[in-house]
Amino acid sequence: MASLDRVKVLVLGDSGVGKSSLVHLLCQNQVLGNPSWTVGCSVDVRVQDYKEGTPDEKTYYIELWDVGGSVGSASSIKSTRAVFYNSVNGIILVHDLTNKKSSQNLYRWSLEALNKDSSPTGVIVSNGDYDREQFAENPVPLLLIGTKFDQIPETKRSEVLTRTAFLSEDFNAEEINLDCTNPRYLAAGTSNAVKLSRFFDKVRIPHQFLSLSLQMTGFTDRKRFNFKSLHYD
Amino acid sequence: MRQLFKDYEVRQYVVQVVFSITFAFSCTMFELIIFEILGALSSSSRYFHWKLNLYVILLVLIFVVPFYIGYFVVSNIRLLQRQRLLFACMVWFTFMYFFWKLGDPFPILSPKHGILSIEQLISRVGVIGVTLMALLSGFGAVNCPYTYMSYFLRNVTDSDILALERRLLQTMDMIVSKKKRIAMTRRQMYQRGEDQNKQTGFWGMIKSVTSTQTGSENLSLIQQEIDALEELSRQLFLETVDLQATKERIEYSKTFQGKYFNFLGYFFSIYCVWKIFMVKFWSQHISFILVGIIIVTSIRGLLITLTKFFYAISSSKSSNVIVLVLAQIMGMYFVSSVLLMRMSMPLEYRSIVTEVLGELQFNFYHRWFDVIFLVSALSSILFLYLAHKQAPEKHMAL
């Protein structure tokens, strides 16, 4: 795998919402037995097939960077965390469905990550306040995942789902609600699995689009050069 | 409360009520002391208010708060969810047992008091609270000069931080590439496994056994390397945070506010050192004013330290327990600070405190406080010295 094909997705959210369990589920297809507090950042790799069964089949490695901590951390922790936000291709925002505060904090999380994004087409944020228009034009694809779905009593489910629907509208992102201790939610063929693979396709698209358009021009050496220059660091 | 929990929810209403009550009555106690000195209100009403306040606080500290703490801790443990009340009562009785036993080794009572008298309860609460206060003020006396005096701040440059960050990112990249190798190997093994299943015969079986064995050995080797690298990345992350914090402290000390605190730090450090070494030598009135200042700043310091501590350990599960523990600590702290303040108050004001609190052996508390204060200060000096020595060595090893 050439280093040019790095696909990096951040997994952000408050402490204790279940990011580590989610990443483990996505990458190892197994439930995490003993979740413990994440210090710093933990990375895992998901193998994703694109166009399986066709001659164009390609295997991608998607790096999921699970950054620990809370929005209220000390500024020294925040500036250290910013190191991980460079050149991301996608962001997964995780919130706890039983804890409203964690959903509200997602605005601050996304601002923190997008502010530090060193992409040349990066989002311009002036005063740190949330602005819906930014997210509409945001080049970085977002995905909203709500965890601990099984812990919500039946009676409150519709209320919670309406709330998350508003949230996904605000972020201009798809949403998935699941329980990280149950792999059934992401089983092949479910709508959740479809949304997930659509998200990962969106994350990879800049690469494919570029390689596709450059192939059409037919200059192989120039292709390498252009590809490299667009992969900033 | 909002400040402490602006990132989490404290859903149970009763927890907030209990906390507020504890805080309110603790502050009332201090107000009463001030009234005492100023001579406001008539003395009989003051006496009445003292008694009332004391009863309520003791009731809350000994009965209500521990019970709720037990209740919430038990409901967090999934196994015992069914019979929460029963287990909570059991926890409370254990607490009461230890609480009672606490009184035995200390010479705090004269034999003429009954079992459930107020003096018994106060004496025990006082012992716990005094210990807590002495520990905190010993640590604070040492920590305050260490934090604020710029002499101790190590010199951190931007390039140090950048170098560390680069190392951190390199480590993360190495982890990523190793994980990719594992994923690829696993996938190949899986595919080969499928092909192997189609192979029949003797040689096919042998080939499948040997290839998977070397494959899995390889995997476990890489996994061990990954674990070591992940540990390294955590260490690097924490070191970077440490350096960033130090750099921010340096910048802060250059501002005007920083310089002001620096001066205060020098002043207080001299005072604390003096207090450590000359415990017996007090001039009554000066000491009262200074003790007042210390109490105010130590309350502020206590709340700030507790806030930081709670940011570190709070989560949505334990927020209720933490609020109650905070209420308990605060209540005990306030009760014992009243006991200790008697030590520094001029003679004419001591009478009402003595009257209200009964005939407790106050001298015992004073001596106990001094002992614990000395122990705590010395051990925190040792601890900070070790931490300070260790850090520049780590820094230079980069």
Side-chain angles (χ1 to χ4, degrees):
Chain A
M1 272 287 133
S3 61
L4 300 172
D5 282 325
R6 281 191 79 167
V7 181
K8 177 171 159 186
V9 173
L10 280 183
V11 179
L12 297 178
D14 277 350
S15 277
V17 295
K19 301 186 292 293
S20 306
S21 307
L22 176 72
V23 166
H24 200 259
L25 185 64
L26 287 177
C27 299
Q28 319 283 347
N29 288 320
Q30 278 175 352
V31 177
L32 183 61
N34 54 337
S36 63
W37 208 34
T38 318
V39 175
C41 171
S42 90
V43 195
D44 214 342
V45 167
R46 177 179 163 99
V47 182
Q48 186 92 0
D49 287 316
Y50 176 63
K51 283 195 178 162
E52 208 168 345
T54 67
D56 282 341
E57 178 175 2
K58 255 201 129 173
T59 311
Y60 275 94
Y61 292 106
I62 303 187
E63 306 166 22
L64 293 171
W65 290 56
D66 160 20
V67 178
S70 66
V71 266
S73 300
S75 57
S76 54
I77 299 185
K78 279 195 185 166
S79 32
T80 314
R81 263 203 315 242
V83 153
F84 301 125
Y85 298 156
N86 290 328
S87 60
V88 289
N89 303 107
I91 303 182
I92 298 184
L93 294 168
V94 187
H95 65 115
D96 184 351
L97 291 169
T98 60
N99 185 350
K100 232 189 276 185
K101 265 277 162 63
S102 67
S103 326
Q104 289 167 358
N105 284 337
L106 284 182
Y107 296 108
R108 292 162 71 185
W109 272 116
S110 52
L111 280 175
E112 187 180 327
L114 293 173
N115 266 340
K116 296 291 191 303
D117 190 3
S118 61
S119 154
T121 58
V123 179
I124 303 166
V125 181
S126 49
N127 53 0
D129 283 335
Y130 165 67
D131 180 8
R132 197 186 269 220
E133 307 230 326
Q134 284 157 209
F135 287 100
E137 306 164 353
N138 186 16
V140 179
L142 300 173
L143 176 68
L144 203 63
I145 295 192
T147 55
K148 308 194 188 164
F149 189 54
D150 55 322
Q151 288 179 24
I152 305 183
E154 291 284 345
T155 46
K156 293 231 174 116
R157 271 202 188 161
S158 55
E159 176 188 324
V160 166
L161 288 176
T162 11
R163 180 163 55 88
T164 55
F166 278 125
L167 208 62
S168 68
E169 245 185 69
D170 278 343
F171 284 115
N172 192 25
E174 289 274 10
E175 58 155 347
I176 294 179
N177 294 318
L178 47 68
D179 167 24
C180 294
T181 60
N182 192 345
R184 158 173 84 85
Y185 282 93
L186 291 176
T190 54
S191 62
N192 287 339
V194 170
K195 286 184 196 170
L196 200 62
S197 49
R198 260 216 307 257
F199 171 70
F200 284 130
D201 286 342
K202 258 199 285 187
V203 164
R204 286 193 315 260
I205 271 182
H207 299 254
Q208 291 171 297
F209 178 68
L210 286 169
S211 66
L212 210 65
S213 63
L214 290 167
Q215 262 171 22
M216 290 203 275
T217 62
F219 293 105
T220 38
D221 285 339
R222 272 249 293 259
K223 176 199 335 184
R224 281 271 151 80
F225 178 74
N226 281 336
F227 218 21
K228 265 205 177 107
S229 69
L230 280 154
H231 272 273
Y232 38 81
D233 215 350
Chain B
M1 273 277 289
R2 277 202 192 276
Q3 202 55 27
L4 276 179
F5 282 103
K6 59 180 162 90
D7 290 331
Y8 297 98
E9 289 185 343
V10 180
R11 248 174 286 142
Q12 305 274 30
Y13 188 58
V14 67
V15 170
Q16 297 183 338
V17 166
V18 165
F19 183 84
S20 320
I21 289 180
T22 317
F23 191 67
F25 278 104
S26 312
C27 289
T28 322
M29 267 203 314
F30 277 119
E31 281 176 18
L32 284 173
I33 290 190
I34 296 180
F35 284 164
E36 185 65 38
I37 297 177
L38 293 180
L41 304 181
S42 65
S43 75
S44 58
S45 80
R46 278 202 303 254
Y47 185 68
F48 169 72
H49 280 294
W50 263 112
K51 277 279 183 198
L52 174 70
N53 209 351
L54 218 52
Y55 276 125
V56 172
I57 280 229
L58 283 178
L59 190 74
V60 169
L61 276 185
I62 297 175
F63 296 109
V64 175
V65 177
F67 177 72
Y68 273 116
I69 289 182
Y71 181 73
F72 281 115
V73 165
V74 164
S75 42
N76 266 342
I77 306 175
R78 277 194 190 175
L79 291 171
L80 308 172
Q81 275 253 343
R82 300 292 164 80
Q83 291 145 322
R84 277 187 286 200
L85 273 177
L86 181 66
F87 280 109
C89 288
M90 271 171 51
V91 170
W92 186 74
F93 277 121
T94 330
F95 169 76
M96 284 306 288
Y97 177 71
F98 280 116
F99 190 68
W100 213 253
K101 279 284 172 209
L102 196 62
D104 290 343
F106 295 110
I108 43 182
L109 295 175
S110 37
K112 55 183 171 158
H113 294 301
I115 290 264
L116 272 184
S117 63
I118 199 169
E119 285 80 16
Q120 294 258 2
L121 300 176
I122 288 195
S123 59
R124 285 172 170 81
V125 172
V127 167
I128 301 178
V130 164
T131 315
L132 195 68
M133 256 191 91
L135 282 174
L136 281 176
S137 41
F139 181 70
V142 176
N143 198 26
C144 171
Y146 181 72
T147 315
Y148 286 124
M149 276 167 58
S150 42
Y151 176 71
F152 288 112
L153 287 178
R154 304 189 298 281
N155 216 8
V156 174
T157 59
D158 276 339
S159 55
D160 295 334
I161 297 184
L162 277 179
L164 255 190
E165 285 180 355
R166 212 178 310 131
R167 265 188 79 189
L168 180 60
L169 279 180
Q170 277 174 358
T171 317
M172 301 301 303
D173 288 342
M174 287 202 292
I175 296 178
V176 165
S177 60
K178 288 204 196 290
K179 288 211 169 170
K180 285 182 182 170
R181 263 179 68 189
I182 283 196
M184 189 160 65
T185 320
R186 249 203 222 127
R187 179 165 258 238
Q188 284 175 356
M189 271 171 47
Y190 179 69
Q191 285 171 345
R192 223 185 297 135
E194 272 191 344
D195 295 342
Q196 291 292 321
N197 284 336
K198 295 183 194 145
Q199 264 193 16
T200 52
F202 190 56
W203 289 119
M205 276 189 345
I206 292 207
K207 250 199 272 181
S208 67
V209 163
T210 49
S211 58
T212 42
Q213 268 200 345
T214 46
S216 56
E217 265 173 28
N218 223 4
L219 277 190
S220 63
L221 211 67
I222 303 184
Q223 187 60 43
Q224 279 175 13
E225 290 173 12
I226 287 184
D227 291 336
L229 281 177
E230 281 184 338
E231 185 59 44
L232 178 64
S233 77
R234 281 191 279 266
Q235 299 268 12
L236 285 175
F237 181 79
L238 291 174
E239 267 180 52
T240 317
V241 169
D242 202 26
L243 280 192
Q244 287 271 13
T246 316
K247 178 177 154 213
E248 277 167 18
R249 275 224 300 267
I250 293 178
E251 281 175 16
Y252 180 71
S253 75
K254 295 192 183 129
T255 66
F256 184 65
Q257 224 185 2
K259 288 207 170 86
Y260 169 68
F261 275 115
N262 197 15
F263 171 71
L264 274 188
Y266 276 116
F267 176 67
F268 269 118
S269 60
I270 296 174
Y271 177 70
C272 295
V273 166
W274 182 50
K275 190 164 158 84
I276 290 177
F277 290 115
M278 297 197 230
V279 226
K280 295 277 178 220
F281 185 68
W282 285 113
S283 157
Q284 295 279 15
H285 289 269
I286 299 178
S287 69
F288 176 63
I289 295 175
L290 282 171
V291 166
I293 294 179
I294 278 195
I295 286 188
V296 167
T297 50
S298 68
I299 290 178
R300 184 179 168 274
L302 173 77
L303 287 177
I304 288 181
T305 317
L306 285 174
T307 316
K308 274 196 230 164
F309 180 63
F310 288 158
Y311 273 147
I313 66 171
S314 61
S315 71
S316 48
K317 252 194 189 178
S318 55
S319 55
N320 294 322
V321 175
I322 289 176
V323 170
L324 289 172
V325 167
L326 173 59
Q328 175 89 357
I329 292 178
M330 195 176 54
M332 289 189 162
Y333 189 82
F334 282 126
V335 166
S336 53
S337 54
V338 166
L339 284 179
L340 287 175
M341 264 172 38
R342 184 193 159 276
M343 167 172 86
S344 317
M345 284 200 303
L347 273 165
E348 52 266 29
Y349 304 125
R350 286 193 195 173
S351 56
I352 188 153
V353 181
T354 324
E355 206 182 304
V356 168
L357 294 179
E359 289 179 25
L360 297 175
Q361 307 274 35
F362 286 108
N363 286 325
F364 162 72
Y365 287 112
H366 304 162
R367 281 196 311 262
W368 181 247
F369 177 84
D370 293 339
V371 165
I372 299 281
F373 180 82
L374 212 60
V375 166
S376 158
L378 290 175
S379 48
S380 26
I381 286 180
L382 185 69
F383 175 72
L384 282 177
Y385 175 74
L386 286 176
H388 186 70
K389 273 295 165 219
Q390 203 193 36
E393 277 168 6
K394 263 196 312 187
H395 190 56
M396 284 190 290
L398 291 178

